[in-house]
């Protein structure tokens, strides 16, 4: 058998074994499955945050943007980890309120602050977000396995989905946390190798002496994308869920500081590696440029290790967002009188995981573009982040300060895609729609008062 497949199946067996051991050793059917008993330490929380953040969107989406735009994308990459430091301003309050009000999803927070209508809009947006980012990782993992093996792309997608569905169905969010620790270790190994690659001296024969050519990006778009990078943490479902699950405020702060330093280290290594690969292979471009470059520089006898490490990182994205998506869907359509019955919710989630994965399989098979999904994902995430800031920074803001910007952003996004197609300009749209939406809300509230 192909050694790469042997390594993959061995790794899958390890993940399933961890999930089964956890279920047998320390499994409580509701809170543990749904939110890891809200007892995560700072170190564990940081590892699971970094494993979900540095996943398909980073290895595929962000590297594709670097290969495409070069230095123009640096402000975005700098502000992504810096946004975690800004998020610390609200993280303690989020942790305390999550325990008090029993929040499980991002839209639980918005329902508490802005009411049911906002919750429903956010819930639908989050489901789209989750499907997009999970599909990005699924596409990347399947193309990576296809690259290293003789399997077809469609077969590789099914294999990826089967792996995730197996261990998620056993232990739920606790499985995500436990496997994220292993995946984060693999991730740090990858970036350690990238650092070694950066420090390696090249001979003149190995470097292509062709000038590096990137697509141009207007300066204002680059600046706006930096702002968007600072907002992403405020709209990130996986980050909120980790804050909900962390034991106390002190551990929350510790986890975010640790994540900030690990994330910054990873991005320095990643950006340097991309530019060095570009000097070796000037024609590298597209969704799979980074993985293709890695494939070309590593010795063939180490392909199994590279594929295992990359697969681990991509799985950390898929399992996180599949679980979040299923949880969001079931809580959104749960019977009102059953919402606090976590045992029923746990059972429904287990039944829904295969269905949700099937939808992701269909998206991954028919839409095989990473960059386009990244633009849409950035647009929706930034809008959610801005609404979260409004929720905490302006206590007197009512539901219309959430509803008008959210709806306007969606309509403007659809209009922009129909006119320009998929463009990096989509990601900066919330910086325009949110102020306009808030002005409309302000005017609407004045009109209501005068009636």
């Amino acid at each position: 058998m192909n050694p790469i497949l042997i390594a993959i199946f061995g790794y899958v067996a390890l993940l399933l074994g961890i999930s089964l051991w956890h279920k047998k050793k320390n499994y409580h059917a509701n809170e543990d499955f749904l939110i890891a008993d809200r007892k995560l330490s700072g170190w564990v929380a940081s590892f699971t945050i970094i494993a979900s953040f540095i996943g398909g969107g980073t290895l595929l989406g962000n590297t594709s943007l670097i290969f495409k735009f070069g230095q123009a994308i640096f402000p975005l990459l700098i502000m992504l980890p810096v946004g975690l430091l800004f998020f610390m301003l609200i993280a303690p309050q989020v942790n305390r309120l999550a325990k008090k009000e029993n929040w499980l999803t991002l839209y639980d927070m918005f329902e508490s602050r802005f009411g049911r209508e906002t919750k429903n809009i956010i819930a639908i947006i989050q489901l789209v977000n989750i499907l997009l980012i999970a599909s990005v990782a699924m596409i990347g993992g399947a193309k990576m396995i296809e690259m290293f093996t003789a399997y077809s792309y469609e077969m590789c997608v099914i294999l990826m989905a089967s792996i995730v569905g197996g261990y998620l169905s056993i232990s739920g969010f606790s499985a995500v946390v436990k496997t994220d620790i292993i995946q984060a270790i693999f991730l740090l190994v990858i970036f350690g190798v990238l650092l070694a690659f950066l420090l390696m001296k090249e001979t003149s024969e190995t470097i292509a002496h062709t000038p590096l050519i990137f697509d141009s990006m207007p300066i204002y778009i680059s600046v706006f994308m930096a702002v968007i990078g600072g907002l992403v943490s405020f709209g990130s479902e996986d980050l909120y869920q980790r804050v909900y699950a962390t034991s106390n405020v002190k551990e929350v702060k510790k986890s975010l500081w640790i994540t900030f330093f690990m994330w910054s280290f990873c991005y320095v290594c990643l950006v340097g590696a991309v530019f060095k690969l570009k000097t070796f292979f000037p024609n590298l471009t597209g969704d799979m440029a980074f993985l293709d470059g890695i494939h070309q520089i590593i010795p063939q006898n180490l392909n199994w290790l590279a594929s295992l490490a990359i697969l681990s990182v991509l799985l950390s994205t898929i399992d996180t967002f599949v679980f979040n998506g299923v949880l969001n869907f079931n809580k959104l359509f749960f019977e009102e009188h059953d919402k606090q019955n976590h045992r029923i919710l746990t059972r429904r989630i287990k039944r829904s995981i295969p269905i949700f994965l099937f939808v992701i399989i269909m998206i991954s098979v028919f839409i095989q573009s990473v960059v386009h999904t990244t633009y849409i994902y950035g647009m929706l995430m930034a809008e959610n982040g801005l609404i979260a800031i409004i929720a905490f920074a302006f206590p007197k803001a009512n539901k219309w300060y959430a509803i008008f910007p959210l709806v306007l952003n969606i309509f403007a996004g659809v209009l922009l895609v129909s006119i320009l197609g998929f463009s990096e300009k989509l990601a900066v749209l919330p910086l325009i729609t949110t102020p306009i939406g808030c002005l409309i809300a302000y005017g609407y509230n004045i009109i209501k008062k005068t009636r």
Side-chain angles (χ1 to χ4, degrees):
M1 183 185 286
N2 189 316
I4 294 174
L5 293 179
I6 294 174
I8 289 173
F9 288 134
Y11 180 64
V12 171
L14 174 64
L15 296 181
L16 292 175
I18 290 171
S19 298
L20 288 168
W21 175 83
H22 174 77
K23 180 177 180 179
K24 181 179 179 180
K25 189 83 175 176
N26 183 32
Y27 181 68
H28 312 292
N30 42 39
E31 286 296 299
D32 189 60
F33 187 94
L34 296 173
I35 202 70
D37 275 340
R38 303 186 192 272
K39 293 180 180 178
L40 296 186
S41 69
W43 277 100
V44 172
S46 65
F47 269 74
T48 188
I49 292 171
I50 201 70
S52 63
F53 275 16
I54 309 289
T58 294
L59 284 187
L60 302 177
N62 288 352
T63 56
S64 297
L65 290 174
I66 301 170
F67 276 110
K68 183 176 177 64
F69 295 111
Q71 295 92 333
I73 212 69
F74 284 4
L76 168 66
L77 300 182
I78 291 170
M79 288 303 297
L80 283 168
V82 169
L84 274 177
L85 304 184
F86 297 147
F87 182 76
M88 268 196 245
L89 297 173
I90 69 168
Q93 189 176 356
V94 170
N95 179 262
R96 287 191 290 264
L97 288 173
K99 290 179 172 59
K100 180 182 177 181
E101 301 185 18
N102 205 27
W103 294 344
L104 293 174
T105 64
L106 179 61
Y107 68 71
D108 285 337
M109 182 191 75
F110 285 110
E111 181 178 21
S112 174
R113 179 63 180 81
F114 290 121
R116 190 177 182 84
E117 297 96 332
T118 304
K119 178 204 87 167
N120 291 335
I121 297 172
I122 290 287
I124 294 170
I125 291 172
Q126 282 304 100
L127 284 171
V128 173
N129 268 340
I130 288 164
L131 285 169
L132 287 174
I133 197 64
S135 297
V136 164
M138 186 76 78
I139 291 166
K143 287 186 175 181
M144 185 271 297
I145 297 175
E146 181 187 25
M147 185 185 299
F148 287 116
T149 69
Y151 282 14
S152 68
Y153 172 77
E154 291 75 15
M155 181 63 70
C156 294
V157 169
I158 294 171
L159 176 60
M160 293 278 291
S162 301
I163 294 170
V164 174
Y167 64 80
L168 272 188
S169 298
I170 296 171
S171 295
F173 186 67
S174 284
V176 172
V177 171
K178 297 295 185 298
T179 55
D180 272 355
I181 295 172
I182 295 174
Q183 289 155 351
I185 292 170
F186 265 111
L187 185 149
L188 293 175
V189 169
I190 287 177
F191 285 97
V193 172
L194 289 180
L195 181 61
F197 171 59
L198 287 176
L199 298 175
M200 180 183 68
K201 290 185 177 180
E202 316 87 5
T203 62
S204 58
E205 291 80 11
T206 60
I207 300 177
H209 295 282
T210 306
L212 300 183
I213 300 174
F214 300 102
D215 291 354
S216 63
M217 176 186 285
I219 293 177
Y220 76 93
I221 295 292
S222 182
V223 172
F224 282 175
M225 290 191 78
V227 177
I228 294 299
L231 294 172
V232 164
S233 293
F234 289 89
S236 177
E237 173 101 23
D238 46 329
L239 177 57
Y240 279 91
Q241 196 170 38
R242 270 67 178 175
V243 173
Y244 296 169
T246 304
S247 58
N248 56 56
V249 169
K250 180 181 178 181
E251 295 299 307
V252 167
K253 291 180 179 178
K254 181 199 291 186
S255 71
L256 294 178
W257 275 111
I258 295 169
T259 305
F260 167 75
F261 287 113
M262 286 198 294
W263 202 2
S264 300
F265 165 75
C266 290
Y267 268 172
V268 169
C269 296
L270 189 70
V271 171
V274 168
F275 269 80
K276 197 162 187 177
L277 286 172
K278 190 74 172 176
T279 62
F280 289 165
F281 313 107
N283 294 324
L284 278 180
T285 188
D287 292 348
M288 301 302 292
F290 181 73
L291 296 187
D292 190 33
I294 294 295
H295 185 213
Q296 293 186 54
I297 64 171
I298 62 172
Q300 188 171 1
N301 61 342
L302 291 180
N303 277 349
W304 67 273
L305 183 59
S307 62
L308 199 61
I310 294 168
L311 177 67
S312 177
V313 174
L314 296 175
L315 284 176
S316 69
T317 296
I318 300 172
D319 61 21
T320 293
F321 286 96
V322 167
F323 185 81
N324 286 347
V326 174
L327 179 61
N328 272 268
F329 179 82
N330 278 278
K331 283 194 89 271
L332 179 62
F333 296 105
F334 223 12
E335 293 295 331
E336 192 67 32
H337 62 278
D338 283 337
K339 279 191 176 180
Q340 299 303 316
N341 192 330
H342 287 177
R343 191 174 297 276
I344 295 175
L345 181 58
T346 298
R347 187 165 60 247
R348 292 188 181 185
I349 285 174
K350 288 182 177 181
R351 293 172 180 172
S352 303
I353 287 172
I355 299 171
F356 201 81
L357 280 167
F358 177 76
V359 175
I360 293 174
I361 288 172
M362 299 304 294
I363 294 173
S364 302
V365 168
F366 290 105
I367 304 176
Q368 300 182 23
S369 173
V370 170
V371 173
H372 290 172
T373 55
T374 301
Y375 293 151
I376 301 172
Y377 180 74
M379 178 190 80
L380 298 176
M381 285 279 287
E383 183 63 44
N384 286 352
L386 285 167
I387 301 304
I389 291 172
I390 291 171
F392 285 94
F394 302 99
K396 294 184 179 180
N398 62 15
K399 65 181 181 180
W400 301 112
Y401 286 90
I403 292 174
F404 281 122
L406 287 167
V407 173
L408 184 61
N409 190 59
I410 293 171
F411 278 110
V414 172
L415 182 63
L416 193 62
V417 169
S418 65
I419 296 173
L420 300 178
F422 292 99
S423 164
E424 64 276 7
K425 294 181 176 64
L426 280 172
V428 303
L429 195 59
L431 299 179
I432 301 171
T433 57
T434 302
I436 294 174
C438 287
L439 284 173
I440 295 173
Y442 178 75
Y444 180 78
N445 285 324
I446 290 176
I447 293 171
K448 282 187 68 176
K449 285 180 181 179
T450 56
R451 285 182 178 178

